[in-house]
Amino acid sequence: MNQNFTSSTVYQVYIKSFCDSNGDGIGDINGIRSKLKYIQSLGVKYIWVTPFFCSPMVDNGYDVSDYRNINPDFGTMSDCEAMISEAASLGMGFMFDMVFNHTSTQHEWFKKALTGDPEYMNYYIFRDGDENTPPADWTCSFGGPAWEYVPGLKKWYLHLFDPTQADLNWENPKVRNELKDVIRFWKAKGVKGFRFDVLNLVSKPENLDNLPAGSATRFCKDGHRIHDFIRELVIDTGIDNMITVGEMASTTLEHCIKYSQPDRHEMSMCFNFHHLKVDYKDGNKWALMPADLKVLRNLFKEWQEEMCAQGGWGAVFWCNHDQPRIVSRLGNEGKYWKHSAKMLGTFIHMLRGTPYIYQGEELGMTNAHFTRLEQYNDVEAINYYKILTSQGTSSEEALNILANRARDNGRTPMQWTSGRNAGFTEAPEPWIGIPENYSYINVESEEADPDSILNYYRKLVKLRSENKIVSDGRVKFLESGNERVFAYERSLDGKSIVVICNFSPIEERINKLAAGKVLLTNYDSGNESLENLRPYEAIVIQK
Ligand code: TEU
Ligand code: CA
C-alpha cells in the first residue's frame, strides 16, 4: 500500500476553466502544461484533473462518449502524454477522473443498445413498461425523473443524473471488464492515480421494480455489492498501490471506513459531502439557511475521530467544481477576506486525511455573483431555476438561490492576472463569466504579496510534508467552550500540536486549550492569552 498520500496534498484542476492556450475561450491540456511550474510551486505531489475525454459536454465532461480519446476542444493524445511526462519530471503525478457510473448516451455502447442489440442493452439498466408508467417514481440528481422512456424499444432506462447520462449495469461482468480496460489504458500512459466519480452509486438494488418514490441516489448509494465491485476493480487492474479516491454520494461513516481501510484493498480514501450540507435547509440544497456551526463541528469530530480509531482515511476539502466557493460560504468576502480564507485553509490542512485544494481556492477566489440566468451554464442550475420558479418562487429569489448554490460559482475561470479576462484566455470572452474581483484576487498580485492567501497555502502544504504529526498523527477534537471556535489536537510519539480556528466575524472567548510555540497563524501579532480570539483567527501551536 502506498502511504505517501498521508504527507501529500492534491491540487484539483477543472480543465475547462484553468488556462486557455489557444484563444477559444476554453481551458485545455496545453494550458495545464503551461502552468505546471505554478502547481509545483504550491508543493503538491498530485494533480486531479477533471474529465477531458470525448464528450458532448452536457455535464461538462462527466458525460463520456469515449473513454480512450480526448475531446478535441481540450487537445490531443500527444498533448496529454506530454502533460503526464512533464508533470513527472517536476515530481508530480496525475490522477485522472473515471466516470464509471454512467456513460453519455452518445457512447457507442448506448448507441448499439438503442438499436435493440441485446448484448449492449445489457450494458445499461433497461426495464419494460408502458409509456406512462416508469418502473419507479424516482427523481434524478439534476431535477426531473430518473427513468427515461425509449419509444422504439418500449423500454425505460435509468439515469441518476441527466437523461443523456445513462447508468451502466455493473451486474454485467462484461461492463466491469470494459471499465478495467479503461483503467489499464491510462495506467499504461503513466497516470499515478485515479478519482472515481460517484463510485458508491454503481451497485443498484437487487430488485428495481416496485420501489417507493424518492431520490434515485437514496436507493442506489452504498449498494449490496459495492465493496466487492470496488475490490475487484482495484485488484484486477493492479492499482492498489496507487493513490485512489472514490467520490461517495450520501454515504455513511461505516461505509467510508470500509472503503478506505488499507487491508480491504478498495480505495486509498473517499470524499463525502455531509459537511457541505450544513447550510441546506431541511437537507434541501435549493433552500437557503445560514450554516449550522454546531452541526459542522460535530460532523468533523465524529468522522475524524472514528476514521482514526478504525484505520480509515479521508480526503479533506472545502471546495471542488460542484461547490460554491468556501470563502463566500463560511468566510467573508469583505474586510476579513484574507483572514477568513486563511483560517478555513488552516482548519482543513491540519486535519487527519489528504487535503485537496481546488484551483483558485489558494487565492481566496469567491462566488461568481451572477445576476442573470443567461450567465449560468450548468444543466443543474438551469433545471432548478425552472423547477423553483414553476413552484412559485419569484425569479429574483430563484436567482438569489442560484447565486448561493449553483455549481457554476466554483467554475469561473482561474484568475491569473489583473489583465484582460484575468489572464485566462486571449479570446474576446471566456466560456463563462469572471467575477469582477479578479482585479485584486489573482496569482500575479498574490505572488508579489508575502502575506497573501497564496503564500499562506504554500506554508500549509509544507507543514504537512515536513511535519510527521500533521501527516501521520492521531486526531482528537477539543472543547473550546464556544460553538464558533473549533479546536483539535494532533499527536504522535508523545508530541502534539493544537489547532484553534475561529469561524466567527467577531472576537470570541474560549477555554484555555494550549500553550507553546506558534507554528502558524493568520495574524501578524501573536496571541498571548489564547483565550481571546480575533475575527477568523487561526493558530497552530506546538505543545
Ligand atoms: O458529482 C456527483 C454528485 O452527486 C454531486 O456533485 C452533486 O452534483 C452535488 O452533490 C449536488 O448537490 C459528480 C461530479 O463531480 C459532477 O460534476 C457530475 O455532474 C456528477 O458526478 C455526474 O457525473
Ligand atoms: Ca482552448
Side-chain angles (χ1 to χ4, degrees):
M1 195 70 179
N2 170 355
Q3 285 302 332
N4 93 346
F5 57 77
T6 64
S7 59
S8 307
T9 299
V10 181
Y11 191 73
Q12 183 194 348
V13 168
Y14 191 68
I15 185 167
K16 198 174 176 186
S17 298
F18 192 60
C19 180
D20 174 20
S21 72
N22 62 349
D24 62 0
I26 297 170
D28 46 50
I29 292 176
N30 286 339
I32 298 176
R33 289 172 67 192
S34 73
K35 299 294 185 184
L36 286 173
K37 287 227 168 77
Y38 168 75
I39 300 175
Q40 184 200 34
S41 79
L42 302 173
V44 304
K45 290 278 170 287
Y46 294 103
I47 306 167
W48 153 29
V49 56
T50 56
F52 46 78
F53 315 107
C54 289
S55 163
M57 297 293 281
V58 174
D59 189 21
N60 278 336
Y62 284 92
D63 46 331
V64 179
S65 58
D66 181 350
Y67 290 105
R68 290 183 183 76
N69 278 300
I70 290 167
N71 179 340
D73 284 346
F74 294 136
T76 65
M77 188 59 83
S78 69
D79 297 336
C80 178
E81 288 164 353
M83 174 178 83
I84 295 170
S85 67
E86 286 162 10
S89 69
L90 295 173
M92 297 182 291
F94 270 102
M95 297 164 71
F96 280 6
D97 203 328
M98 300 288 109
V99 190
F100 286 172
N101 176 68
H102 43 264
T103 72
S104 163
T105 49
Q106 296 297 309
H107 195 288
E108 65 164 65
W109 301 335
F110 196 80
K111 288 187 184 164
K112 286 181 187 162
L114 281 189
T115 67
D117 181 337
E119 180 172 354
Y120 286 96
M121 285 177 73
N122 196 29
Y123 273 42
Y124 295 91
I125 302 168
F126 281 95
R127 286 291 179 278
D128 292 326
D130 73 73
E131 192 168 359
N132 302 311
T133 330
D137 197 3
W138 286 0
T139 51
C140 78
S141 242
F142 295 158
W147 289 96
E148 183 81 6
Y149 192 64
V150 184
L153 296 172
K154 295 199 166 39
K155 287 183 194 296
W156 297 81
Y157 69 86
L158 180 66
H159 61 90
L160 300 189
F161 295 91
D162 190 75
T164 66
Q165 292 166 298
D167 278 53
L168 284 164
N169 175 20
W170 278 59
E171 296 292 330
N172 180 352
K174 279 192 187 164
V175 167
R176 304 204 297 278
N177 289 336
E178 295 264 20
L179 300 175
K180 289 173 204 164
D181 279 342
V182 174
I183 294 179
R184 293 182 187 112
F185 177 86
W186 290 110
K187 194 182 159 195
K189 297 259 180 219
V191 166
K192 290 288 183 285
F194 295 95
R195 180 252 188 197
F196 293 92
D197 191 58
V198 286
L199 184 59
N200 72 323
L201 300 182
V202 302
S203 168
K204 309 300 195 247
E206 251 166 308
N207 183 357
L208 276 171
D209 307 295
N210 305 318
L211 284 169
S215 110
T217 307
R218 198 185 110 203
F219 294 101
C220 299
K221 64 178 181 155
D222 308 315
H224 65 296
R225 296 185 69 186
I226 190 65
H227 294 284
D228 292 339
F229 283 164
I230 297 177
R231 190 179 311 120
E232 181 190 300
L233 191 78
V234 166
I235 295 195
D236 288 1
T237 55
I239 58 169
D240 197 22
N241 60 350
M242 299 175 95
I243 181 172
T244 54
V245 56
E247 187 201 27
M248 308 303 185
S250 309
T251 186
T252 64
L253 175 53
E254 290 66 32
H255 278 290
C256 284
I257 290 167
K258 288 188 173 177
Y259 292 133
S260 62
Q261 279 171 336
D263 56 356
R264 294 180 56 91
H265 310 290
E266 298 183 35
M267 292 284 108
S268 313
M269 67 192 88
C270 348
F271 289 119
N272 84 81
F273 300 94
H274 297 288
H275 63 297
L276 296 172
K277 297 181 179 175
V278 300
D279 51 6
Y280 291 9
K281 196 171 172 213
D282 305 320
N284 176 2
K285 173 172 173 173
W286 308 100
L288 303 180
M289 181 183 90
D292 187 331
L293 291 180
K294 199 171 163 185
V295 172
L296 182 65
R297 188 259 179 191
N298 288 339
L299 275 168
F300 274 112
K301 174 182 161 65
E302 190 192 1
W303 280 71
Q304 283 278 307
E305 292 181 357
E306 261 320 283
M307 284 286 227
C308 184
Q310 312 271 345
W313 193 258
V316 285
F317 69 102
W318 287 128
C319 298
N320 66 29
H321 63 290
D322 295 331
Q323 296 292 330
R325 294 284 182 177
I326 201 64
V327 73
S328 306
R329 200 168 173 183
L330 290 179
N332 180 290
E333 290 186 7
K335 185 170 172 199
Y336 296 116
W337 166 65
K338 262 193 191 183
H339 285 106
S340 64
K342 292 179 185 177
M343 181 281 288
L344 291 163
T346 311
F347 180 75
I348 285 294
H349 284 254
M350 296 297 106
L351 286 171
R352 180 178 177 276
T354 299
Y356 283 66
I357 301 171
Y358 176 61
Q359 65 182 48
E361 179 183 350
E362 76 278 19
L363 308 175
M365 273 178 60
T366 67
N367 279 351
H369 298 291
F370 292 156
T371 53
R372 289 175 291 114
L373 186 62
E374 304 74 64
Q375 291 173 294
Y376 289 92
N377 168 275
D378 184 16
V379 56
E380 184 196 52
I382 293 161
N383 285 351
Y384 272 97
Y385 176 85
K386 286 185 203 140
I387 292 170
L388 288 165
T389 49
S390 75
Q391 288 168 347
T393 305
S394 70
S395 164
E396 193 189 359
E397 180 53 15
L399 286 170
N400 180 41
I401 294 171
L402 293 194
N404 282 280
R405 294 293 150 85
R407 304 194 295 181
D408 286 330
N409 283 303
R411 298 179 178 183
T412 60
M414 178 71 176
Q415 295 168 193
W416 295 103
T417 70
S418 58
R420 204 169 62 89
N421 292 329
F424 164 74
T425 181
E426 299 280 313
E429 296 218 313
W431 70 276
I432 191 169
I434 306 177
E436 279 167 21
N437 57 32
Y438 78 88
S439 60
Y440 62 96
I441 305 180
N442 63 68
V443 173
E444 190 179 47
S445 54
E446 297 200 28
E447 287 285 9
D449 171 11
D451 184 45
S452 64
I453 298 166
L454 173 59
N455 282 314
Y456 190 89
Y457 263 76
R458 290 180 168 134
K459 289 183 197 163
L460 291 171
V461 175
K462 192 159 182 259
L463 247 181
R464 167 168 300 264
S465 65
E466 292 177 351
N467 190 320
K468 283 259 167 224
I469 308 174
V470 179
S471 58
D472 299 339
R474 303 184 60 77
V475 61
K476 184 172 170 286
F477 270 65
L478 305 173
E479 299 300 330
S480 75
N482 182 326
E483 280 175 10
R484 293 168 298 282
V485 180
F486 299 7
Y488 56 88
E489 180 163 21
R490 303 288 316 278
S491 42
L492 187 74
D493 303 332
K495 291 192 197 141
S496 65
I497 63 169
V498 170
V499 181
I500 305 172
C501 291
N502 181 9
F503 279 69
S504 152
I506 57 171
E507 281 196 21
E508 298 284 352
R509 280 194 74 77
I510 58 164
N511 302 330
K512 179 100 180 171
L513 295 169
K517 181 182 162 221
V518 175
L519 285 184
L520 190 65
T521 161
N522 61 348
Y523 272 82
D524 298 338
S525 56
N527 184 331
E528 265 82 67
S529 81
L530 290 179
E531 285 168 297
N532 246 329
L533 294 181
R534 288 164 281 191
Y536 297 109
E537 184 159 7
I539 321 174
V540 183
I541 299 147
Q542 175 108 46
K543 281 219 301 201

